[in-house]
Amino acid sequence: MLKKVLIANRGEIAVRIVRACAEMGIRSVAIYTEPDRYALHVKRADEAYSLGEDPLSGYLDPLRIVNLALETGCDAIHPGYGFLSENAEFARLCEQKGITFVGPKSSVIHKMGDKTQARDSMRAAGVPITPGSEGNLANLEEALALASEIGYPIMIKATSGGGGRGIRRCDSAQELTQQYPRVISEATKAFGSAEVFMEKCIVNPRHIEVQILADSQGNVVHLYERDCSIQRRNQKLIEIAPSPQLTPEQRNYIGGLAVKAAEAVGYENAGTVEFLLSGNQVYFMEMNTRVQVEHTITEQITGVDIVREQLRIASGLPLSYRQEDISYRGFALQFRINAEDPKNDFLPSFGRISHYYAPGGPGVRVDTAIYTGYEIPPFYDSMCLKLVVWALTWEEVVARGQRALDDMRLHGIKTTANYYKQILQHEDFRNASFNTSFVPEHPELLNYSDKKHPSEIALALAAAIAAHAGW
Ligand code: ADP
Ligand code: ADP
Ligand code: MG
């Protein structure tokens, strides 16, 4: 078993990994840059090392991180999500220097990180993919010719894209002509690669993704699916497990496809295979070769600790579960509470958290790195808290989500929490009938009032907390 792990990340996911290490008797090492000096992952890890003044470069410096891991006697690096997690060069450097990378082999990261190569692998393995280009697009002329063959609408996507960026829908040749250079420039800026490809746009699809686990002995299992159709600009807002919109047959079929996809590329560790579902048609979209933001909801319905499994797999141990051992119970929802102002085009709202009171009670889980008095730095992702709720039925989990969002107090910054309450009240959401167009089709849900809680309620709450805490 691994003895000491360097966590090459920050925020809630770094804290999540520290927690898994603590439960497994593994020592944890945090890294941070100066704006993160007072971050929770730094306080909570067994050891922490500064990687300089610059807010970002320390988290993105493969050589420095690997060397630090060696110097501090770590046997592994967990990359979390974002940052270097899908950087094949980083994984390769770990392999070369004899440090275990908690994830798949660098060659597999490379192959799946390139969306056109991933499509090739899936085509070869017999996993259905969206119709589209057979590789990257050479120029606009080729794009226009292919689009008229496939039929509009089409999507232009960055080949090494992620995080919902570098994707544009085009409904006509005119739009394609306009958008083509924009995607290229966005891809170059965000991902350092100008490569783009084309997919047919699947209209009003559901985003269904499957969590898989694979060990070094070649065993692969899936942990059922998540429905991430509640998105804004291709970014997930609320995630659900299992999907309330699948039949048992569809569930088994998609789970099986994900296992087939993982087996086809010799996958190892935790990963997610993302699909689009339209009617009964399933299309492979991409594979994320890392722990995912929304792994939490799968943990809640299956009871499997995914980060623990990641560390066991990286230690060379076989999976703790066979497919037939894995069942799921109830429903879980995850709300990505972002430091953003929904009423102002989701503009980031960084700053000091003047007051934070965590929601609690039955079936509530919070993964965050914030605390009262914490100042959210402006340099990183705006997601500041993941609120996860679980209940036995769909009806109950929606009510519990509403209640937990009401419970939470997060003052000093604007967040997406109140917007989510509106979504939960919508009958299409309640009837479990939605697709990726839900958010753009319901701009009226942004017309809520950010009502301030009357001071009596705040005082009563403070008194209740104080009474409980025995102050
Ligand atoms: P998930 O698929 O786990 O839901 P997201 O797409 O929300 O993940 O991405 C999680 C984090 O990783 C975000 O901060 C996002 O910006 C970042 N990220 C994801 N993919 C990439 C990529 N290819 N390049 C850079 N950052 C990425
Ligand atoms: P990322 O790597 O940024 O996560 P994805 O390829 O997973 O990019 O796509 C992100 C989202 O964009 C999907 O969840 C879906 O809502 C939308 N999308 C992507 N490709 C298509 C497509 N071909 N048709 C319709 N929607 C798509
Ligand atoms: Mg994706």
Side-chain angles (χ1 to χ4, degrees), residues 9 60 80-86 113 115 159-165 190-191 207 209 226 228 234-236 239 272 274 286 288 290-295 334 336 380-383:
N9 217 297
L60 294 170
Y81 56 71
F83 290 129
L84 297 173
S85 61
E86 289 176 283
K115 292 187 183 185
T159 303
S160 28
R165 285 167 304 155
F191 311 112
H207 172 119
E209 59 181 40
R226 299 183 281 257
C228 309
N234 308 318
Q235 291 170 356
K236 301 161 186 167
E239 296 109 334
T272 298
E274 296 191 335
E286 66 158 341
N288 291 321
R290 55 173 164 89
V291 68
Q292 218 151 351
V293 175
E294 58 275 20
H295 73 280
Q334 173 175 282
R336 294 194 188 199
Y380 313 106
D381 207 80
S382 58
M383 189 185 72

Side-chain angles (χ1 to χ4, degrees), residues 133 137 139-140 142-144 146-147 152-159 165-170 175-177 179-184 187 194-201 234:
S133 54
L137 293 165
N139 50 42
L140 177 62
E142 190 190 323
L144 286 165
L146 186 61
Y152 291 93
I154 56 95
M155 302 288 246
I156 298 290
K157 298 171 75 168
T159 303
R165 285 167 304 155
I167 302 176
R168 299 283 172 107
R169 170 177 166 155
C170 307
E175 258 185 51
L176 175 54
T177 309
Q179 299 291 357
Y180 190 76
R182 292 191 191 158
V183 185
I184 290 185
E195 289 173 343
V196 297
F197 68 105
M198 185 183 297
E199 275 182 15
K200 183 165 184 61
C201 177
N234 308 318

Side-chain angles (χ1 to χ4, degrees), residues 88-108:
E89 290 307 316
F90 181 51
R92 186 167 303 126
L93 193 63
C94 292
E95 287 160 8
Q96 280 163 2
K97 299 234 179 188
I99 286 265
T100 301
F101 177 81
V102 181
K105 291 199 174 53
S106 61
S107 55
V108 175

Side-chain angles (χ1 to χ4, degrees), residues 11-80:
E12 69 83 20
I13 194 64
V15 174
R16 171 72 187 85
I17 299 162
V18 168
R19 286 177 170 148
C21 288
E23 291 180 16
M24 296 170 80
I26 298 173
R27 244 183 116 70
S28 55
V29 175
I31 58 170
Y32 64 98
T33 61
E34 279 313 302
D36 266 342
R37 172 165 287 275
Y38 301 104
L40 199 61
H41 75 284
V42 175
K43 297 175 198 266
R44 190 62 188 80
D46 294 317
E47 294 170 31
Y49 298 91
S50 170
L51 288 183
E53 293 290 330
D54 188 84
L56 280 167
S57 61
Y59 291 121
L60 294 170
D61 188 339
L63 193 59
R64 241 179 120 191
I65 294 172
V66 173
N67 283 338
L68 180 67
L70 287 167
E71 283 159 27
T72 53
C74 290
D75 36 27
I77 296 179
H78 195 308

